[in-house]
Amino acid sequence: MKKILKVIFLLLFLLGVSEVKGSKLSISAKLDSVNLIMGQLNTLHLEVVEDEGTQGRLSIFQQIDKVRGYIPVCGDSVELSTNYKVDTVRLGSGKIQLNYSIPVQAFDSGTYTLPKIVYYAGKDSAESNTLTFNVYPVNVTAEDPIAGLSTVEEPDGKRFYDWVPDWIIDFWWIFIVIVLAICAFYYGMRNYRKQGLPFIAPKPQPKAWEIALDSLKRLKTRKLWEQGMEKEYFTDLTDILRTYLYERFGINAMEMTTRQIMDKIYESDLKDKRDYVKQILNVADFVKFAKVRPLPADSIAAYDNAVKFVEETIPQATEEKINEEAGGGARE
């Protein structure tokens, strides 16, 4: 009989422990008072019960105004301060209770209902109860005296600059900047009128092949495929190639498949360059969609073919000018 009772007590104990451990995540909310005066501080208390060791978060703190440090709710009429406190209480059986104390202020009279606050802990979540409270205006009029304050008195021995507004004294440097800007503008306009020079010289826009070659050089220095980042490498490489095809030849390659791009190239004057593009796009498709790791030789060949394609499609007049400048520099 005693053995049977021991077994029964043991089973009841285990059931009690499992029930405590299996209890759900919970959150409850309450206010110090449901009647507030406009601008008066109140406190929102949140009680969260969760498993010990769980790292949870409150949904309201995803709406923080980072500049002012508050959480607007109820159409910005109510503010929850981010300067809150959290106390932790151990409940036993692997459970803890987090007690949040969050300052609350309202700046418009009326009746408000705080939305349900969600607490996330891992894959679980729990919603708090809603809270309704009243906000009453301050009963004052324009004729009511302000107790404890005296009128502003004029200083003794007032000087000339005391008559100058404070904003001029505080921002004197702005006036200097404005004067210098006017002088610079006047000087520039004089040059423009006398010599026909532009006030600000237009910045020359880089050509499509210059942008492409510069992008390829930067891609090479990143050494993506050497670090096992073949997908990122071929994604950037094909983006450079597709952008160049659009900027240089008007082929909207960013919106096309490999087959469509090859068809466009075959229909254009780039037939003799199609092997370069075909090798790059085919290897890129295998890497990005079939998740195949290319050989180092394929990665190097794809880069070299991209460089060759850009260099060999530079306009002839531009290429001759570059060669002439290079030849003249060598003769000097």
Side-chain angles (χ1 to χ4, degrees):
M1 186 65 180
K2 291 182 177 181
K3 290 183 178 180
I4 295 174
L5 290 174
K6 288 182 179 179
V7 171
I8 293 173
F9 284 125
L10 180 60
L11 289 174
L12 290 174
F13 175 76
L14 293 176
L15 286 173
V17 171
S18 63
E19 184 180 353
V20 172
K21 289 186 177 180
S23 59
K24 295 181 178 179
L25 176 72
S26 65
I27 178 173
S28 61
K30 62 180 181 179
L31 288 166
D32 279 346
S33 174
V34 294
N35 297 311
L36 302 177
I37 302 296
M38 285 194 309
Q40 181 183 20
L41 275 175
N42 197 356
T43 303
L44 170 64
H45 298 281
L46 299 177
E47 294 181 358
V48 178
V49 177
E50 64 178 358
D51 292 331
E52 191 171 358
T54 303
Q55 292 185 349
R57 68 185 189 280
L58 290 168
S59 60
I60 56 173
F61 293 121
Q62 299 174 0
Q63 311 168 24
I64 295 176
D65 187 318
K66 296 181 179 179
V67 177
R68 304 179 190 176
Y70 68 83
I71 305 164
V73 292
C74 301
D76 291 340
S77 296
V78 181
E79 297 177 0
L80 306 181
S81 174
T82 57
N83 187 22
Y84 62 89
K85 297 180 181 179
V86 184
D87 295 326
T88 303
V89 179
R90 299 183 183 275
L91 303 178
S93 300
K95 292 289 182 180
I96 60 172
Q97 178 175 307
L98 302 178
N99 298 320
Y100 288 84
S101 298
I102 305 174
V104 180
Q105 274 184 301
F107 298 97
D108 196 4
S109 59
T111 300
Y112 299 97
T113 299
L114 290 178
K116 293 182 179 180
I117 298 171
V118 183
Y119 186 83
Y120 297 97
K123 296 182 179 179
D124 296 330
S125 64
E127 290 184 347
S128 71
N129 52 295
T130 58
L131 295 173
T132 301
F133 59 96
N134 302 310
V135 179
Y136 299 98
V138 180
N139 294 321
V140 294
T141 64
E143 289 75 22
D144 290 342
I146 301 176
L149 298 177
S150 59
T151 58
V152 179
E153 296 182 357
E154 293 292 335
D156 295 331
K158 203 170 186 179
R159 303 174 187 177
F160 170 78
Y161 55 78
D162 291 329
W163 297 94
V164 179
D166 291 338
W167 61 271
I168 295 180
I169 297 175
D170 295 337
F171 301 101
W172 59 268
W173 54 273
I174 294 180
F175 294 95
I176 295 177
V177 171
I178 292 173
V179 171
L180 291 176
I182 293 173
C183 292
F185 179 79
Y186 176 75
Y187 176 78
M189 291 300 296
R190 284 188 61 186
N191 277 353
Y192 179 81
R193 291 177 179 176
K194 288 184 178 180
Q195 305 177 21
L197 298 176
F199 181 62
I200 299 177
K203 185 177 180 180
Q205 296 296 321
K207 306 298 182 182
W209 54 87
E210 295 173 344
I211 296 174
L213 291 174
D214 183 64
S215 299
L216 288 169
K217 288 179 182 178
R218 285 188 275 110
L219 176 61
K220 186 176 182 180
T221 59
R222 293 170 64 190
K223 297 183 178 181
L224 293 177
W225 70 264
E226 293 92 333
Q227 303 175 44
M229 302 169 67
E230 289 88 358
K231 183 177 179 180
E232 290 81 357
Y233 171 76
F234 278 95
T235 298
D236 290 351
L237 182 62
T238 53
D239 285 346
I240 294 170
L241 178 63
R242 290 170 183 266
T243 302
Y244 178 68
L245 286 171
Y246 175 73
E247 297 292 340
R248 176 72 176 86
F249 303 102
I251 299 175
N252 192 15
M254 296 299 292
E255 305 296 333
M256 295 181 180
T257 63
T258 297
R259 179 65 179 273
Q260 292 171 334
I261 293 173
M262 296 309 303
D263 290 342
K264 279 288 185 182
I265 290 177
Y266 189 82
E267 296 170 0
S268 67
D269 297 332
L270 301 172
K271 295 180 182 179
D272 57 332
K273 307 294 188 300
R274 64 180 181 271
D275 289 338
Y276 296 149
V277 180
K278 184 176 181 181
Q279 188 271 340
I280 297 169
L281 296 180
N282 284 343
V283 176
D285 287 345
F286 277 110
V287 172
K288 291 191 288 184
F289 303 114
K291 298 183 179 179
V292 175
R293 294 198 67 180
L295 296 173
D298 292 332
S299 300
I300 296 172
Y303 179 86
D304 292 341
N305 286 336
V307 173
K308 290 177 183 178
F309 179 77
V310 175
E311 290 180 342
E312 293 179 13
T313 54
I314 295 176
Q316 187 175 359
T318 303
E319 190 174 4
E320 291 176 356
K321 183 178 180 181
I322 293 173
N323 292 334
E324 288 177 2
E325 291 176 355
R331 287 191 295 273
E332 291 176 2

